[in-house]
């Protein structure tokens, strides 16, 4: 088991549990600056004549609680300087193994994406005088610190020298788009896409009465191409290749040893924040794991209830919306009342580059996420996951329990079962806060609830978010109940028109 490449540090929550500085890059010769979080960086003017080529090496890493570009001295986001007619030749690599790029939008230049041990080069002709920005266009990376300045000496309207052969001239549009055409077109659906939908029946068995003990879990974070809808794919980030991640079940007073591994072929750092954990930002502070690495934390579960866990790595909305959430049930000492069937269901909101129903491979849209404008709402990760792919069944007379949570990242759910009434609602996931005879219950993003009800009549009962426009965007599941119909409970008139949901 390997430890993360960077040590944990306490940082502002807004910076989302970043880690201590990584090893800086080597070979940078014309840029200097101050560390992130200090005053604006300064630069030593390049002692170069117009037309000179400045060779620079940068490596990505962490500094001052931010994700940054580092020069040879460990300076973060150094100011790059030159004159009109000069050229920057930049060699880039990923210090922590995650995927990055560098773009210069005003200068109409961007690099290829790089991760792992990949090294890329980008040529930046300095075509006009002024101050210009450079940043990483991977969603969320600019927002958490990967942004710097290019200062070009010379008149703003100066004509550019001939562009050197091999210079990259694509315009960076943010959110991963490489060109105007790419921003409008949708890529073909991924041929290797797999189902990521968690089986709602995958609920660990009740623990029963026992003293507190050490419980060990191992979870791997995996990035993969998954099926979002018929003919539509998406790049999911997951706990254990499924959405939601595995349901964990422990006892109040247990000590949990949790090992988090990040698959070697991942392009992002991942982590886990469990709402059941006291301290360490729920574990997020100490589980920032680079591709190919592992780390382990221990925590004692002090409070009973149903709790959400999720990734806590920037951009957190991206990681969560891409599928990185799940739940942990902490049973009270006496356990929960026995029921006949238990199901595991979580709702998520998705932000894609194209409208709902667009065929092809959808990309994550950071701007839509920032504006809280989902294109899809799903139960267990994909459209049809719990209406077509996986079945929830029960028999008349059985008691049913649904462990329901909202990964989010942004939208509240009005959880409702059409044609049923919740006999018990463990409001907000609290074992002690029980309500009875409830029609619809609110569940906050990052929140959970437990609902119990007895099925007294056969049929197909739809689980929905009662913000009903969301049903048309994927937020639906079906519970199929078989058995005899009791006319004293419900009876349709002979001339009634049947509506198929």
């Amino acid at each position: 088991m390997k430890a993360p490449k960077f040590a944990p540090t306490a940082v502002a929550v807004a910076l989302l549990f970043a880690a201590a500085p990584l090893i800086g890059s080597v070979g940078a010769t014309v840029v200097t600056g101050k560390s992130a979080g200090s005053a604006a960086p300064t630069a030593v003017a390049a002692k170069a004549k117009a037309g000179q080529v400045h060779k620079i090496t940068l490596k990505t890493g962490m500094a001052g609680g931010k994700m940054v570009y580092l020069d040879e001295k460990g300076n973060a986001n150094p100011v790059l300087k030159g004159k009109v007619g000069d050229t920057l030749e930049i060699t880039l690599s990923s210090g922590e193994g995650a995927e990055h790029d560098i773009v210069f939008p005003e200068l109409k230049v961007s690099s290829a994406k790089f991760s792992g041990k990949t090294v890329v080069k980008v040529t930046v002709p300095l075509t006009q005088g002024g101050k210009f920005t450079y940043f990483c266009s991977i969603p969320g990376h600019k927002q958490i610190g990967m942004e710097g300045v290019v200062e070009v000496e010379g008149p703003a309207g100066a004509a550019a020298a001939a562009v050197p052969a091999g210079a990259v001239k694509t315009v960076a549009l943010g959110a991963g788009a490489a060109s105007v055409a790419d921003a409008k077109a949708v890529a073909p659906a991924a041929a290797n896409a797999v189902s990521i939908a968690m089986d709602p029946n995958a609920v660990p068995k009740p623990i029963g009465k026992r003293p507190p003990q050490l419980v060990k879990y191992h979870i791997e974070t995996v990035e993969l191409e998954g099926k979002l809808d018929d003919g539509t794919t998406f790049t999911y980030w997951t706990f254990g290749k499924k959405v939601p991640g595995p349901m964990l079940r422990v006892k109040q007073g247990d000590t949990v040893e949790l090992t988090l591994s990040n698959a070697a072929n991942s392009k992002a750092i991942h982590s886990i924040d469990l709402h059941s954990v006291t301290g360490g930002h729920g574990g997020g502070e100490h589980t920032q794991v680079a591709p190919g690495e592992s780390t382990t934390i221990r925590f004692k579960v002090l409070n009973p209830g149903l709790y959400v866990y999720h990734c806590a790595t920037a951009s957190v909305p991206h990681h969560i919306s891409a599928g990185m959430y799940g739940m942990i049930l902490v049973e009270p000492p006496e356990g929960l009342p026995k029921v006949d069937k238990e199901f595991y269901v979580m709702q998520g909101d998705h932000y894609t580059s194209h409208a709902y129903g667009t065929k092809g491979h959808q990309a994550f849209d950071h701007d839509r996420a920032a504006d809280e404008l989902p294109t899809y709402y799903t139960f267990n990760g994909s459209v049809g996951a719990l209406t077509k792919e996986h079945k929830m069944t029960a028999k008349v007379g059985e008691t049913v329990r649904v462990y329901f949570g909202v990964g989010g990242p942004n939208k509240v759910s009005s959880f409702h079962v059409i044609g049923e009434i919740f006999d018990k609602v463990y409001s907000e996931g609290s074992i002690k806060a029980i309500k009875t005879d409830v029609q619809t219950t609110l569940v906050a993003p990052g929140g959970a609830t437990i609902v119990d009800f007895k099925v007294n009549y056969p049929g197909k009962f739809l689980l929905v978010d009662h913000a009903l426009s969301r049903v048309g965007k994927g937020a639906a599941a079906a519970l199929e109940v078989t058995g005899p119909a009791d006319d004293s409970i419900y009876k349709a008139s002979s001339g009634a028109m049947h509506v198929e949901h």
Side-chain angles (χ1 to χ4, degrees), residues 90-113:
I90 305 173
T91 301
L92 299 134
S93 61
S94 176
E96 74 295 321
E99 184 177 61
H100 302 284
D101 64 7
I102 191 169
V103 300
F104 301 79
E106 298 102 330
L107 299 174
K108 300 183 179 181
V109 174
S110 67
S111 77
K113 291 180 172 60

Side-chain angles (χ1 to χ4, degrees), residues 101-305:
D101 64 7
I102 191 169
V103 300
F104 301 79
E106 298 102 330
L107 299 174
K108 300 183 179 181
V109 174
S110 67
S111 77
K113 291 180 172 60
F114 56 93
S115 61
K117 297 181 179 179
T118 303
V119 176
V120 302
K121 294 185 178 181
V122 61
T123 301
V124 187
L126 303 182
T127 58
Q128 56 184 309
K131 290 186 178 181
F132 312 100
T133 58
Y134 67 87
F135 57 85
C136 180
S137 73
I138 303 298
H141 288 192
K142 176 183 176 182
Q143 289 77 6
I144 201 174
M146 297 191 75
E147 182 176 21
V149 175
V150 181
E151 294 182 357
V152 184
E153 183 181 342
V163 177
V168 182
K169 296 188 68 179
T170 53
V171 181
L173 301 175
S179 67
V180 173
D182 289 341
K184 294 181 179 179
V186 61
N192 61 336
V194 298
S195 169
I196 50 75
M198 173 63 77
D199 186 342
N201 300 282
V203 178
K205 293 181 179 180
I207 295 172
K209 293 184 178 180
R210 65 158 172 77
Q213 65 181 39
L214 176 65
V215 180
K216 295 184 179 182
Y217 280 107
H218 178 265
I219 299 176
E220 184 182 34
T221 61
V222 180
E223 302 171 9
L224 72 169
E225 308 304 327
K227 298 175 182 178
L228 175 60
D229 197 357
D230 292 337
T232 304
T233 59
F234 182 80
T235 301
Y236 286 88
W237 295 348
T238 70
F239 292 107
K241 300 182 181 180
K242 295 294 180 182
V243 181
M247 181 175 169
L248 313 181
R249 194 165 192 162
V250 296
K251 201 82 169 178
Q252 183 181 7
D254 283 350
T255 297
V256 179
E257 182 177 286
L258 175 61
T259 298
L260 186 71
S261 299
N262 191 352
N265 63 350
S266 292
K267 295 182 178 180
I269 298 167
H270 297 297
S271 60
I272 189 167
D273 166 5
L274 303 101
H275 292 184
S276 60
V277 171
T278 301
H281 298 303
E285 183 179 4
H286 302 100
T287 58
Q288 301 290 330
V289 184
E293 304 292 336
S294 297
T295 192
T296 299
I297 58 171
R298 274 196 179 195
F299 58 90
K300 189 171 184 177
V301 282
L302 304 177
N303 302 84

